Amino acid sequence: MKQPLHPLLIAFAVVVFFFLVAPLVIILGAAVSDTTFLTFPPRGISGRWFVKVFEMAAFRRTIVTSLQIAFLATGLALLIGLPAAYALNRFRIQLPHWLSTVFVLPILVPEIVLGFSLLKSVQVAADLPVFSTLIIGHTLIVLPYAVRVISASLSAFDFSMEEAAVSLGSPPLKTFFTIVLPNVRSAVIAAFILAFITSINDVSVSLFLTGPGVSTLPIQILAHVEQFFDPVIASVSVLLMLLTVGVMAVVELTLGLTFLAK
């Protein structure tokens, strides 16, 4: 027989739930308001501010740019992070212990410092284009997520299965893709989701690396807030939330969220 939950525990859970949901409800209410300024509760219901987002060329351009940078940076982070995580776990005895710390430095270093350093050393000194610098910067800030998430999965992997396959004549590269990778597929997908969401919402690094003609959606939001106080910002925030929900929905429909918990 299950023991009933204490009323105080239920009340605490309800308070935490409303604490997490309330900001989302306020943003959604402000986004559908029929007024020309941000307000909550909404005075009338209208979807014109969502239409306004896509009518503004600056937002259309930065949405596409942010998606491009997020996909490219996440892909590069996985291409670097997957073999790095594999090496750190497969050869953990041979490799120095401090090496794993190198891959989490972008998280330990404040993003403002990282952004300024990239501005000086990559964009100015190396004279790289703004778009390329943004990809490098975003790859650095999402790389720790790829390495840590995949490493957590590989730490529980039995590498004797890989050794058995190699001893039976399977090439090492084929063994990696047929034995190792399928066992950490859920970690790779989880790392992709975390890295993608982190990249598309980044402000601190992008603030230093954007330039004329190239900007990201969060930076465009900041620029819009400096000049206007209309519900367009709330509408963009709702669209970003829907994008996150959409990514999770695709994972749920294709793999199931329980798959990521394996």
Side-chain angles (χ1 to χ4, degrees):
M1 183 176 180
K2 293 184 178 180
Q3 185 178 1
L5 294 175
H6 196 281
L8 289 178
L9 183 60
I10 297 176
F12 179 75
V14 171
V15 170
V16 171
F17 176 78
F18 278 106
F19 177 77
L20 295 174
V21 174
L24 306 182
V25 175
I26 293 173
I27 292 174
L28 180 60
V32 298
S33 178
D34 197 28
T35 59
T36 57
F37 53 89
L38 282 171
T39 182
F40 185 86
R43 302 176 185 177
I45 303 297
S46 174
R48 64 190 177 109
W49 298 111
F50 291 97
V51 178
K52 184 72 172 178
V53 171
F54 294 100
E55 288 179 347
M56 300 178 68
F59 279 110
R60 292 201 308 269
R61 183 176 62 253
T62 53
I63 287 172
V64 173
T65 302
S66 291
L67 289 174
Q68 290 175 338
I69 292 173
F71 276 114
L72 290 172
T74 302
L76 285 173
L78 289 177
L79 286 175
I80 300 171
L82 181 57
Y86 171 81
L88 289 172
N89 287 272
R90 181 69 175 82
F91 308 105
R92 66 182 69 180
I93 298 177
Q94 295 92 327
L95 294 176
H97 296 292
W98 55 263
L99 189 60
S100 60
T101 309
V102 173
F103 292 98
V104 298
L105 284 178
I107 292 180
L108 300 177
V109 176
E111 288 193 5
I112 293 178
V113 176
L114 181 62
F116 181 74
S117 301
L118 289 171
L119 172 66
K120 294 287 290 183
S121 59
V122 178
Q123 195 172 83
V124 176
D127 196 24
L128 288 181
V130 174
F131 189 80
S132 300
T133 310
L134 278 168
I135 293 176
I136 294 173
H138 282 234
T139 302
L140 285 176
I141 61 176
V142 302
L143 180 60
Y145 297 98
V147 175
R148 298 300 294 178
V149 172
I150 299 175
S151 289
S153 181
L154 281 171
S155 62
F157 177 71
D158 186 4
F159 286 98
S160 62
M161 293 190 295
E162 180 189 23
E163 295 172 356
V166 172
S167 66
L168 292 173
S170 177
L173 189 61
K174 181 182 178 181
T175 302
F176 176 81
F177 284 104
T178 57
I179 302 296
V180 180
L181 190 57
N183 282 277
V184 296
R185 184 174 55 171
S186 60
V188 173
I189 297 173
F192 177 87
I193 294 173
L194 281 173
F196 181 82
I197 294 175
T198 301
S199 173
I200 206 166
N201 288 289
D202 176 74
V203 175
S204 301
V205 173
S206 301
L207 190 63
F208 285 94
L209 303 182
T210 52
V214 180
S215 184
T216 61
L217 183 57
I219 304 304
Q220 181 59 37
I221 291 175
L222 288 176
H224 189 86
V225 169
E226 290 178 353
Q227 303 178 31
F228 306 97
F229 195 67
D230 54 26
V232 167
I233 299 304
S235 300
V236 175
S237 302
V238 172
L239 291 175
L240 286 174
M241 288 190 293
L242 291 177
L243 176 63
T244 303
V245 172
V247 172
M248 300 306 297
V250 170
V251 174
E252 171 63 22
L253 291 174
T254 54
L255 299 172
L257 293 177
T258 54
F259 178 82
L260 297 180
K262 293 181 181 179

